[in-house]
Amino acid sequence: DKGTYPFYMLKEIDEQPNVMRKLAQVYLNDAGDPVINTDLLAALKAADRLYVVAAGTSYHAGLVGAKLFESLASVPTEVHVSSEFAYNQPLLSEKPFFIFLTQSGETADSREVLLNVNEQKFPSLTITNVPNSTLSREATYTLLLHAGPEIAVASTKAYTAQIALQAILAKALGQAKQQSGANAFDVKQQLALVANGMQALVDEKDTFDQLAKADLLHTPNTFYIGRGLDYAVSLETALKLKEISYVQAEGFASGELKHGTIALIEKDTPVIGIITQANTAGLTRSNLQEVSARGAKTITIVTDALAKNDDTIVLPTVDERMTPLLSVVPGQLLAYYTSLNKGLDVDKPRNLAKSVTVE
Ligand code: M6R
């Protein structure tokens, strides 16, 4: 039931702080250490490489997860789009472990890969929001997202839940492998900070409504740019906008723009820069200046620690590896209000179904 909300999507965006708290409650003990099935941890520890396989928004969550696994657990991690992996399997490492990210647990493209993985007798984990779903039944292990039902076609809380759970799992694996960085990473505190930061953002709905009206409602196209984790979020926020508002949106690695795509920048093309990583903040700012000099209207989404006076949206500072959990929220709200102000059916965009059960 969507209660007083006009659309499920807004309700689901609003639920994200509680989803963060719920995951901490389910998967962390009082000391803040992960509580993860020991067989699953042993299987992960035995792997020489992780393969994260997913589609759409879940693939974007995987891009963030890979950074967490590499940084906290020092395990090389590849992320693949399931429909590609299924018929073009890359050369695998000696001891691969597969992680399927799927909100619904029913995505046919991802299932096709799991069937192949099972035939090859490799261990696997499905991270899903739906207990007893097909991919959860067919994988070796399952972890549930506990996000509550996600009804809107555009995925929001499942994305942030997938990232948060991967952070917990990466810490667990890092600790099992005695990685000092994993012990130092206080995931409980980080999730509490993220929950508060998300709450502050969703409390500013009017800001995003106004911004959507001013900059996105009448544009035929737009760009989201960033580097590293900010690039990963730019892919996700662009997908959100395309999917429900039908504005052509592209998520782009900000350094790559000048290698061709910058030709598309015209007067008033909105370019949204995501800046949360200290080592690339200056570079993305230069890329924004380049497009601004060609007439683009720039919007910035920046963490407190890296903010300047004229930034558009300032996010509270959290561990740099956790920033996607906050930087995605403005993108979700901008997409929501663009769709709403266009008078579209936010929850049921054209041509799309909630779970994609054909290949
Ligand atoms: O249920 P899944 O997570 O496997 O679904 C994957 C994609 O179909 C899904 O994330 C899709 O991209 C969303 N509609 C995006 O908002």
Side-chain angles (χ1 to χ4, degrees), residues 104-119:
S104 64
E106 302 297 341
T107 299
D109 291 321
S110 302
R111 178 163 187 243
E112 181 62 28
V113 180
L114 177 53
L115 294 177
N116 297 341
V117 161
N118 285 345
E119 242 167 59

Side-chain angles (χ1 to χ4, degrees), residues 55-58 101-105 107 153-155 162 239-240 243 356:
T57 287
S58 295
L101 296 177
T102 169
Q103 187 286 131
S104 64
T107 299
V153 164
S155 182
Q162 283 168 339
L239 176 61
K240 283 290 88 80
E243 187 176 22
V356 184

Side-chain angles (χ1 to χ4, degrees), residues 28-343:
L28 300 174
N29 64 18
D30 288 344
D33 288 321
V35 184
I36 300 287
N37 176 302
T38 47
D39 290 348
L40 164 58
L41 266 187
L44 280 164
K45 208 176 146 186
D48 62 358
R49 185 173 289 254
L50 306 183
Y51 292 82
V52 180
V53 180
T57 287
S58 295
Y59 168 72
H60 297 153
L63 295 174
V64 178
K67 296 269 182 195
L68 290 160
F69 288 118
E70 294 202 335
S71 141
L72 294 169
S74 291
V75 55
T77 305
E78 293 179 19
V79 193
H80 292 270
V81 166
S82 42
S83 57
E84 281 300 303
F85 196 99
Y87 301 97
N88 293 281
Q89 182 172 298
L91 201 56
L92 300 178
S93 66
E94 267 175 38
K95 290 180 143 283
F97 185 100
F98 285 83
I99 299 179
F100 292 88
L101 296 177
T102 169
Q103 187 286 131
S104 64
E106 302 297 341
T107 299
D109 291 321
S110 302
R111 178 163 187 243
E112 181 62 28
V113 180
L114 177 53
L115 294 177
N116 297 341
V117 161
N118 285 345
E119 242 167 59
Q120 297 169 87
K121 303 213 172 349
F122 295 132
S124 60
L125 161 70
T126 290
I127 296 182
T128 182
N129 202 27
V130 183
N132 223 22
S133 52
T134 305
L135 272 100
S136 104
R137 282 185 272 110
E138 293 175 348
T140 325
Y141 306 96
T142 297
L143 290 176
L144 293 177
L145 293 170
H146 294 284
E150 193 182 65
I151 310 289
V153 164
S155 182
T156 53
K157 62 179 179 174
Y159 170 83
T160 45
Q162 283 168 339
I163 292 173
L165 186 46
Q166 287 177 102
I168 291 170
L169 193 58
K171 174 171 166 106
L173 180 57
Q175 284 184 315
K177 293 177 67 184
Q178 267 133 30
Q179 300 291 310
S180 57
N183 286 325
F185 178 69
D186 188 344
V187 71
K188 190 172 190 175
Q189 184 200 28
Q190 287 301 317
L191 289 175
L193 290 173
V194 163
N196 292 341
M198 285 173 160
Q199 191 60 53
L201 289 166
V202 300
D203 285 344
E204 290 293 325
K205 294 196 177 62
D206 202 44
T207 307
F208 298 104
D209 188 10
Q210 295 308 322
L211 210 54
K213 278 188 189 123
D215 294 342
L216 297 175
L217 201 52
H218 303 293
T219 187
N221 64 344
T222 186
F223 293 87
Y224 287 82
I225 66 169
R227 291 175 184 238
L229 287 176
D230 296 332
Y231 171 40
V233 174
S234 78
L235 293 173
E236 170 55 13
T237 45
L239 176 61
K240 283 290 88 80
L241 189 71
K242 282 186 267 208
E243 187 176 22
I244 60 169
S245 78
Y246 317 148
V247 173
Q248 170 106 45
E250 219 175 320
F252 229 78
S254 59
E256 190 66 7
L257 264 187
K258 60 184 174 296
H259 296 288
T261 307
I262 199 166
L264 288 171
I265 302 294
E266 291 180 276
K267 186 173 175 310
D268 290 339
T269 305
V271 178
I272 301 167
I274 304 175
I275 303 173
T276 70
Q277 308 293 305
N279 69 331
T280 54
L283 290 168
T284 297
R285 286 198 188 277
S286 312
N287 300 135
L288 283 168
Q289 268 157 18
E290 287 154 16
V291 294
S292 191
R294 286 153 182 90
K297 217 193 269 181
T298 59
I299 295 169
T300 49
I301 299 172
V302 189
T303 37
D304 210 355
L306 301 172
K308 299 200 168 161
N309 276 340
D310 54 354
D311 281 320
T312 323
I313 296 158
V314 178
L315 310 167
T317 299
V318 294
D319 186 296
E320 277 199 359
R321 294 165 288 198
M322 299 293 266
T323 56
L325 293 168
L326 292 178
S327 58
V328 75
V329 177
Q332 295 171 340
L333 287 165
L334 286 173
Y336 175 81
Y337 282 109
T338 306
S339 176
L340 185 80
N341 286 309
K342 283 190 166 187

